[in-house]
Amino acid sequence: MTRLLPWLYLAAAFLFIYLPVAALVLFSFQDGGLPVPPFEGPSLRWYADILSDDDVMAALTNSLMVAVASAAVACVLGFLAAYGLARHVLPGSALIRGLLIAPLTVSYLIVGLGLLIVIQRTGLGLSLFTAGIGHVVINLPLCFAIIYASMGAQQQNAERAARDLGADEFRVITLVTLPMLAPALAAAFFLSVTLSWDEFIISFLLTRFDVTLPVEIWSMLRSGLSPRLNAIGSLVFLISVTAVLVLEIFVFRKRRP
Amino acid sequence: MSTGHQRLKGPGFVTPALIWTFAFFVVPFLVMGTMSLATLEGRTLVWGLSLANYAELTEKAYLWRAIMVSLEITLTVTVVSVILAYPLAWIIAYRIPPRWQRLALLLAILPFWTSYVVRSYAWLLVLAREGVVNQTLISMGLISEPITLANTRFATVTGFVHFFVMLLTLTIYANLVQLSPNYRRAAMDLGASAFQTFRHVVLPLTLPGIVTGAFLTFVLCIGDYVTPQILGGNTELTVPQVIMVQLGRRADFPLASALAIVLMAIVTLVYILSARWLRLDRL
């Protein structure tokens, strides 16, 4: 009995963890109008429904654009800062590191609220662009931390060798540093894409007419449970999971000896 | 010559990120702090150095109540999540063969990577009146009438615990696998029972991982608007929900800012209390 106990616990835990996901995905194939038991189907009508819905598709495209663009900006800024701090002696570098990491400890709602107040004061309009700015704020600390942590002595030696052989700073970065950091950069990028893709509150506060997918889902939620929402939710989940699996397979697998 | 050259370049690399953080994080935060000291007269904003918004927090019952509700929910979620996650992390670290551990961990936290909105909606499906749980219990003959599960604090806590069990499993697992098995072997050799080994050896050594995960749970949980809004119904409001009400219906930015500052103050206080065991750099 005591031998079985861990496996029973594991089974119960996985049941708890996957119960909502299973309900979400299963009833996205519901043939009827309500995503509750009994299950009728399977039917793809709700997927056909959302794929032909212009608002949903526009929100999906917006979400992808904001996620990729904000992740790219966060990675570039994060990489430059990590390179500057890891390779050069700077006054107050501990303080700079603290400042760059600080947004991690503040909840998204507060980051969004602060930006909303400033944007309203300055008279700039709310748009996907302002939501993207917010997403860079929350992803920059992660990108910086991930890239900074993987800038080891091994890379530094290779960079020094390149410099001794006459490479200028630009060549050192593009031909030595960046290729050696590729796994960390990919990790930072995909993590940022996933977080931005899933993020709701900042997008909700900082967009107006064009919205991201979580915001679109939010406004559809007002009309209650619907297999349409299940279909969109399953799609969102599938895309997040794909990003995580790409990260796992192509980045972390390679790092293992 | 070359070192002088390098000194000039270092700041150049760091500047863009610093400007971004300063312009879009530090400045908005300072403006928000100033806003919390302003007041709203009718619909016009009056800048000043007034503590009226903070005084309102203790004077108006619904504001004080929201702070208490947030603290109760967050503490419940943190404690329950740690208690549920620890055995799961333990089983993955010590019962599953090493070559399958990474896969087991990946599977155990896969639903973690879903939007708060989608995850909360999924729990609504499970807990709704006609939902999976009620229908299952009825078909098993355990209940005859559906019980109210959605739109309660129970639903909010369940939605949160689901998310944070996955987060904590990850941080505690990371701590457990770093632990040398020799500690446990030594304790067992010296005659300690399995429970004694856990209580006096493993638990103290994994405390930093627990505290770090619990701190993250606390921070993310107390600041979340989506989960209580979708699952909790409107019978009781948390601080983030009250903030959103102030922003939406009343456009009372000063009061919303004051509430945000209070949230940050609570998080800072918890940070100071747990700083001794926190290992944020080792995440």
Side-chain angles (χ1 to χ4, degrees):
Chain A
M1 185 60 204
T2 40
R3 288 208 151 192
L4 268 177
L5 210 57
W7 304 108
L8 285 175
Y9 191 85
L10 195 68
F14 270 80
L15 178 68
F16 175 63
I17 288 169
Y18 279 94
L19 184 61
V21 179
L24 181 77
V25 176
L26 176 67
F27 289 109
S28 70
F29 297 108
Q30 178 82 314
D31 200 19
L34 266 182
V36 292
F39 178 68
E40 311 146 20
S43 148
L44 286 173
R45 59 182 278 210
W46 300 107
Y47 284 94
D49 189 49
I50 57 160
L51 290 176
S52 58
D53 184 319
D54 291 341
D55 287 345
V56 172
M57 285 301 115
L60 191 138
T61 321
N62 291 343
S63 266
L64 280 176
M65 273 184 343
V66 170
V68 171
S70 68
V73 173
C75 273
V76 171
L77 294 180
F79 165 73
L80 289 176
Y83 185 79
L85 282 167
R87 295 291 178 265
H88 301 274
V89 185
L90 291 180
S93 64
L95 191 71
I96 296 175
R97 262 181 287 147
L99 186 65
L100 290 177
I101 298 289
L104 268 189
T105 59
V106 177
S107 77
Y108 288 4
L109 173 62
I110 296 174
V111 172
L113 176 59
L115 276 169
L116 176 64
I117 293 172
V118 169
I119 290 166
Q120 286 197 334
R121 293 284 117 193
T122 51
L124 274 164
L126 297 172
S127 65
L128 290 174
F129 184 72
T130 45
I133 288 178
H135 284 184
V136 175
V137 171
I138 56 168
N139 283 331
L140 178 54
L142 282 173
C143 290
F144 167 72
I146 291 171
I147 299 168
Y148 185 77
S150 55
M151 284 192 155
Q154 198 195 347
Q155 270 111 327
Q156 197 159 10
N157 290 337
E159 286 163 16
R160 220 172 270 152
R163 256 186 224 112
D164 287 348
L165 293 167
D168 55 27
E169 188 96 13
F170 178 75
R171 286 191 155 191
V172 171
I173 292 178
T174 52
L175 296 177
V176 180
T177 314
L178 283 178
M180 290 183 85
L181 278 178
L185 286 167
F189 181 78
F190 279 104
L191 191 63
S192 298
V193 166
T194 316
L195 290 176
S196 168
W197 170 255
D198 288 337
E199 202 284 328
F200 166 73
I201 193 77
I202 291 176
S203 305
F204 184 64
L205 289 173
L206 300 183
T207 55
R208 180 147 294 168
F209 302 112
D210 294 319
V211 296
T212 62
L213 200 49
V215 180
E216 176 71 21
I217 297 174
W218 180 264
S219 57
M220 293 170 66
L221 256 173
R222 275 185 213 141
S223 43
L225 301 181
S226 151
R228 258 169 73 84
L229 275 166
N230 285 53
I232 303 177
S234 304
L235 215 58
V236 171
F237 179 57
L238 182 73
I239 294 177
S240 312
V241 166
T242 309
V244 173
L245 290 181
V246 166
L247 191 68
E248 171 71 21
I249 292 165
F250 293 103
V251 182
F252 291 119
R253 277 287 145 79
K254 278 188 186 157
R255 245 193 238 167
R256 284 196 292 176
Chain B
M1 177 69 196
S2 109
T3 50
H5 198 57
Q6 284 194 359
R7 260 193 210 126
L8 274 177
K9 276 184 177 159
F13 287 112
V14 182
T15 311
L18 271 183
I19 290 178
W20 195 284
T21 306
F22 199 75
F24 301 121
F25 177 71
V26 178
V27 169
F29 179 68
L30 294 176
V31 173
M32 193 180 76
T34 318
M35 179 66 91
S36 77
L37 301 173
T39 47
L40 208 58
E41 284 177 15
R43 291 195 76 86
T44 46
L45 188 72
V46 182
W47 294 97
L49 292 174
S50 150
L51 288 174
N53 295 310
Y54 293 96
E56 251 187 85
L57 299 180
T58 49
E59 286 158 8
K60 292 202 172 154
Y62 80 98
L63 294 175
W64 188 247
R65 180 85 195 110
I67 296 174
M68 287 301 125
V69 168
S70 274
L71 283 175
E72 283 167 24
I73 290 179
T74 304
L75 287 174
T76 313
V77 166
T78 308
V79 172
V80 173
S81 302
V82 169
I83 292 173
L84 291 180
Y86 204 103
L88 183 56
W90 176 283
I91 292 164
I92 295 176
Y94 295 141
R95 284 289 177 272
I96 290 182
R99 58 172 306 193
W100 296 110
Q101 280 186 14
R102 183 131 195 131
L103 182 68
L105 190 69
L106 183 76
L107 284 177
I109 63 164
L110 206 53
F112 180 82
W113 305 102
T114 338
S115 177
Y116 269 110
V117 180
V118 174
R119 205 168 337 101
S120 301
Y121 171 74
W123 271 109
L124 203 56
L125 286 173
V126 174
L127 300 175
R129 242 186 116 67
E130 315 80 24
V132 179
V133 168
N134 267 323
Q135 299 265 11
T136 311
L137 290 180
I138 289 175
S139 68
M140 285 166 75
L142 290 172
I143 51 171
S144 52
E145 284 284 299
I147 43 177
T148 309
L149 296 167
N151 303 318
T152 60
R153 184 187 287 197
F154 170 78
T156 304
V157 170
T158 305
F160 271 135
V161 166
H162 177 245
F163 181 65
F164 292 116
V165 159
M166 295 187 272
L167 178 76
L168 281 159
T169 302
L170 188 65
T171 61
I172 296 171
Y173 169 84
N175 228 250
L176 285 173
V177 286
Q178 280 169 6
L179 220 63
S180 162
N182 290 339
Y183 291 124
R184 286 190 301 145
R185 276 190 211 127
M188 299 287 232
D189 285 350
L190 291 168
S193 68
F195 179 73
Q196 282 172 322
T197 308
F198 169 73
R199 169 73 186 75
H200 297 287
V201 179
V202 179
L203 189 61
L205 285 170
T206 47
L207 202 58
I210 298 173
V211 176
T212 306
F215 175 73
L216 281 177
T217 303
F218 191 94
V219 174
L220 293 172
C221 184
I222 204 163
D224 180 46
Y225 163 72
V226 174
T227 310
Q229 182 70 16
I230 294 182
L231 290 170
N234 282 320
T235 47
E236 52 177 18
L237 297 183
T238 61
V239 176
Q241 286 176 293
V242 174
I243 291 179
M244 294 302 282
V245 170
Q246 301 305 326
L247 292 186
R249 219 174 296 155
R250 305 190 44 215
D252 192 341
F253 279 85
L255 185 56
S257 302
L259 282 164
I261 298 284
V262 168
L263 271 189
M264 287 199 63
I266 294 174
V267 168
T268 310
L269 192 69
V270 172
Y271 175 80
I272 293 169
L273 288 176
S274 51
R276 238 184 93 191
W277 301 282
L278 272 185
R279 300 284 184 278
L280 288 178
D281 52 325
R282 266 207 247 142
L283 274 182

